[in-house]
Amino acid sequence: MRLSSILFLLLWIDSARPYKILVFSPRFSQSINNFLGNIADTLVDAGHNVTTLIPIINPNLRDGTHKSNKIYVQSTEEVKKITESMDFEEADFFEYNDFNIVTSAPFGQAFMSWVNAQCTGVIDEPGLVEKLRMEKYDVMIVENFEACGVALSHLVKPKSLITSAGSVPMGYQRIDFGIDDALSYNPSVLMSGVDVHSMWSRALNIYANFVFLATWYTCRTEINALFKHRYGPEFPSVNEISSHAAFTFINGEPLIDFAAPTLSRTVLIGGIGAKEPKKLDKELERIFSHRSKTVLISFGSIVQSHALPLQVKHNILQAVSRFPDITFLWKYEKPEDDFATVALANTSNLHMLKWTPQNDILADERLVAFITHGGMASTQETALRGKPGLFIPFLADQPRNSGMMERNGLGKVYYKHDLHDAEKFYAAVKDLIENESYHNNMAKIGEMIAQKPFSAKEMMVKTVELAARFGPSPALRPQSFDMNWIEYHNADIVAIFTLISLLAVFVAVKAASFLLSRVISIVKIKVD
Ligand SMILES: *[C@@H]1O[C@H](CO)[C@@H](O)[C@H](O)[C@H]1NC(C)=O
Ligand SMILES: *[C@@H]1O[C@H](CO)[C@@H](O)[C@H](O)[C@H]1NC(C)=O
Ligand SMILES: *[C@@H]1O[C@H](CO)[C@@H](O)[C@H](O)[C@H]1NC(C)=O
């Protein structure tokens, strides 16, 4: 056999073997769990050996992966203590305002100290880090909202690191991925849009980006400090480690997103978090069979419906009762509380469930519209299932997700404080249900997504296999990581150019005034 054919055979065998993949999935957000869980399960389906490392931060959340091997790291005593002190069920996200740095900064810090505390638990787990290093993983996939996995990857030493964002990249994620913010037209996560011709709107977008960075400041600093403290001052920063990632997965769908810069190593795999819909169970089938149309109301897993102000709940109820021919299914966590008991007894077209299989419900033909908080998973599922939405953002990335849906004519953004206005809310729901344009736009987008040349799953699997086989390509890492602020923004050039221009103006003015004074004196002499 010729040498080249032997080489080819070896490469072929290498490409065919199952790769060893580690997914780092800290349990603190259900939508991030689902995103990483579906990545893991899709890779298992493609024949790879996938292990998911799950540090347990919030014990109330479910695993996103059902097919990969799992390694759990139980909550440390400190994490448990913080969990007990956090009252998720009664948290007031209605009054919460991301733009108010006085309240948002302490919230961000408290949240991150909880998530980061479990990172200490991961590196302290006896034998874990050594065991993971010995496995010689081909690829390690981490989420970058929190940074424990990124730092850990430097100890585990996989052949390739793949970073990811379970939603649109937020704040420090963009910096670590090396993606430009383009704040003059790309809305910050806290904004539902930017009016690019309004200076005020662009300024607000810059402020929104700043306040987000300030709120989540400790998500990087605490992890950098922890690893430098444990492993010496030479331990690279989260930003440095992220910069060498082979690829970055982003949970975004370009066909509904705001067009904004990315890099060639960023792969948009929006929709991968959505599972194949299942048929409705008996209870739901019974609810859906009452009327020909059903509307779903759900504010996700963080914002609790029962904790909304009483007046707001009454206004929602009032709108429901004005559509007697439509069934409303409301995800309401305490259907036994006073409000719910009376509401259910008085309103025959209202049903409440503590938990709803949203993806299955949205796929049902009888579901005509969705009233939602606009989480990334929810907006993508509504697009995927072709259902229009009334998007009521409460916090974090919800305004931007909602804004991109409205911009594409897939529904409307509704400001949460307008829930105090019963008539306005009724009008919005009426428009959502009766305006054909949202349905038509949705149908078209759903079809376009289905017809895309490569599915999110194909792109994800092929990208992981490329990274597993060849390691990271230095060509894909932008030089911007090695530049300081002045260099990146060409501030030195702008400064020197400004200085020269000012100098030129100064000299010109001086010369002109000198000439003028000469002319005046000559004229004066003549007159005299
Ligand atoms: C997957 O990897 C684990 C850990 O290295 C190993 O114990 C297991 O045998 C592998 N499974 C398969 C099917 O190769
Ligand atoms: C519910 O019905 C009761 C009895 O008919 C009535 O007194 C009450 O005002 C109703 N409440 C609402 C919220 O409509
Ligand atoms: C339907 O919604 C679109 C987009 O908001 C709007 O331009 C149009 O006027 C609405 N049509 C009706 C009949 O209200």
Side-chain angles (χ1 to χ4, degrees):
M1 227 196 280
R2 298 231 319 269
L3 189 65
S4 62
S5 24
I6 294 174
L7 208 66
F8 178 80
L9 193 72
L10 283 177
L11 279 175
W12 181 80
I13 290 168
D14 189 50
S15 75
R17 83 185 164 105
Y19 291 112
K20 277 174 85 169
I21 298 157
L22 179 68
V23 178
F24 184 83
S25 179
R27 195 191 279 177
F28 72 98
S29 148
Q30 192 58 52
S31 58
I32 289 176
N33 280 354
N34 294 348
F35 175 65
L36 291 167
N38 255 18
I39 288 178
D41 289 0
T42 305
L43 288 167
V44 172
D45 289 341
H48 299 296
N49 189 345
V50 186
T51 302
T52 306
L53 178 61
I54 305 176
I56 298 177
I57 298 160
N58 185 348
N60 300 327
L61 304 182
R62 288 161 281 119
D63 280 347
T65 173
H66 305 292
K67 297 177 179 171
S68 64
N69 313 312
K70 295 180 200 175
I71 302 175
Y72 293 101
V73 180
Q74 298 302 328
S75 302
T76 64
E77 288 310 315
E78 193 188 347
V79 171
K80 280 188 196 154
K81 240 194 321 195
I82 304 175
T83 308
E84 272 165 32
S85 71
M86 288 181 132
D87 197 353
F88 294 106
E89 291 206 342
E90 303 301 333
D92 183 3
F93 287 112
F94 192 80
E95 292 304 332
Y96 178 76
N97 178 2
D98 274 312
F99 282 84
N100 182 354
I101 198 161
V102 177
T103 50
S104 63
F107 171 71
Q109 276 173 24
F111 191 88
M112 282 327 297
S113 67
W114 179 52
V115 173
N116 288 342
Q118 185 60 11
C119 196
T120 311
V122 173
I123 53 180
D124 281 346
E125 182 86 359
L128 178 66
V129 172
E130 290 72 31
K131 185 177 158 237
L132 295 174
R133 192 186 300 132
M134 303 272 280
E135 292 282 353
K136 295 199 180 350
Y137 288 105
D138 296 301
V139 175
M140 180 169 171
I141 302 174
V142 300
E143 213 284 337
N144 283 58
F145 185 80
E146 62 90 66
C148 185
V150 181
L152 187 69
S153 77
H154 192 69
L155 299 173
V156 173
K157 302 202 183 311
K159 188 167 174 188
S160 283
L161 169 69
I162 293 183
T163 51
S164 80
S167 179
V168 57
M170 298 184 233
Y172 294 97
Q173 290 180 315
R174 299 192 79 86
I175 298 172
D176 289 348
F177 297 160
I179 303 174
D180 200 73
D181 284 320
L183 286 174
S184 63
Y185 67 95
N186 183 29
S188 146
V189 291
L190 304 182
M191 300 276 287
S192 57
V194 179
D195 177 356
V196 295
H197 300 303
S198 151
M199 201 173 99
W200 165 245
S201 179
R202 281 181 281 121
L204 195 62
N205 198 41
I206 291 171
Y207 174 73
N209 188 56
F210 161 76
V211 83
F212 193 89
L213 290 174
T215 298
W216 302 101
Y217 178 64
T218 53
C219 68
R220 298 300 190 259
T221 53
E222 285 185 0
I223 294 296
N224 286 338
L226 171 66
F227 281 78
K228 280 187 198 296
H229 175 69
R230 287 298 176 89
Y231 302 99
E234 295 302 309
F235 199 91
S237 69
V238 168
N239 182 259
E240 174 65 18
I241 301 169
S242 292
S243 81
H244 293 283
F247 293 100
T248 297
F249 289 148
I250 293 177
N251 190 12
E253 169 49 65
L255 286 172
I256 52 173
D257 205 343
F258 292 95
T262 61
L263 288 169
S264 34
R265 70 173 178 183
T266 49
V267 184
L268 285 106
I269 55 168
I272 203 149
K275 302 235 182 273
E276 275 304 305
K278 292 193 292 285
K279 269 186 76 73
L280 301 182
D281 64 19
K282 260 209 188 121
E283 165 74 354
L284 281 169
E285 188 55 49
R286 192 182 58 77
I287 294 171
F288 270 69
S289 65
H290 288 313
R291 294 170 191 81
S292 63
K293 292 177 178 175
T294 299
V295 171
L296 175 65
I297 307 175
S298 168
F299 300 117
S301 51
I302 294 174
V303 178
Q304 305 272 306
S305 288
H306 77 87
L308 292 174
L310 191 61
Q311 187 55 47
V312 163
K313 296 198 281 187
H314 274 296
N315 291 347
I316 294 174
L317 182 63
Q318 205 188 92
V320 168
S321 63
R322 288 167 78 175
F323 296 96
D325 297 335
I326 296 174
T327 300
F328 285 78
L329 177 57
W330 190 353
K331 176 188 171 285
Y332 193 94
E333 304 75 20
K334 293 190 173 168
E336 66 286 343
D337 72 8
D338 291 345
F339 167 79
T341 316
V342 176
L344 287 168
N346 280 23
T347 328
S348 63
N349 62 330
L350 175 68
H351 296 268
M352 285 177 170
L353 285 179
K354 284 188 186 177
W355 183 78
T356 51
Q358 183 175 303
N359 188 41
D360 305 339
I361 290 177
L362 288 172
D364 194 283
E365 282 196 345
R366 292 162 291 184
L367 196 282
V368 292
F370 186 20
I371 298 172
T372 165
H373 63 305
M376 183 51 96
S378 296
T379 50
Q380 285 183 5
E381 284 171 11
T382 54
L384 222 54
R385 308 295 168 224
K387 301 299 160 69
L390 188 63
F391 303 97
I392 311 178
F394 282 79
L395 72 159
D397 58 335
Q398 295 162 12
R400 191 183 186 280
N401 302 339
S402 302
M404 76 187 188
M405 299 303 275
E406 178 172 291
R407 187 160 173 269
N408 287 294
L410 308 176
K412 281 269 180 226
V413 178
Y414 192 85
Y415 292 100
K416 62 180 176 183
H417 290 292
D418 286 345
L419 285 168
H420 280 301
D421 185 338
E423 258 332 290
K424 194 168 184 175
F425 182 64
Y426 166 72
V429 176
K430 191 169 155 62
D431 177 56
L432 173 71
I433 294 169
E434 293 176 4
N435 191 329
E436 288 290 324
S437 78
Y438 309 133
H439 291 265
N440 298 340
N441 294 337
M442 264 298 183
K444 186 177 162 205
I445 290 270
E447 198 133 313
M448 271 181 92
I449 293 175
Q451 295 289 321
K452 282 202 334 186
F454 301 102
S455 73
K457 285 187 175 179
E458 282 172 290
M459 303 241 285
M460 192 278 291
V461 171
K462 295 280 181 211
T463 304
V464 170
E465 287 171 353
L466 200 65
R469 202 170 157 198
F470 298 105
S473 161
L476 297 180
R477 181 181 182 269
Q479 291 187 75
S480 58
F481 282 110
D482 306 323
M483 301 167 83
N484 61 33
W485 191 91
I486 291 175
E487 292 163 346
Y488 182 79
H489 293 277
N490 279 327
D492 42 3
I493 297 172
V494 173
I496 288 172
F497 183 77
T498 311
L499 215 67
I500 291 173
S501 305
L502 286 176
L503 211 65
V505 170
F506 179 74
V507 168
V509 168
K510 271 286 177 204
S513 70
F514 175 73
L515 282 178
L516 202 66
S517 69
R518 288 299 297 262
V519 170
I520 290 171
S521 60
I522 289 167
V523 170
K524 261 192 179 161
I525 290 165
K526 285 212 167 155
V527 170
D528 289 346

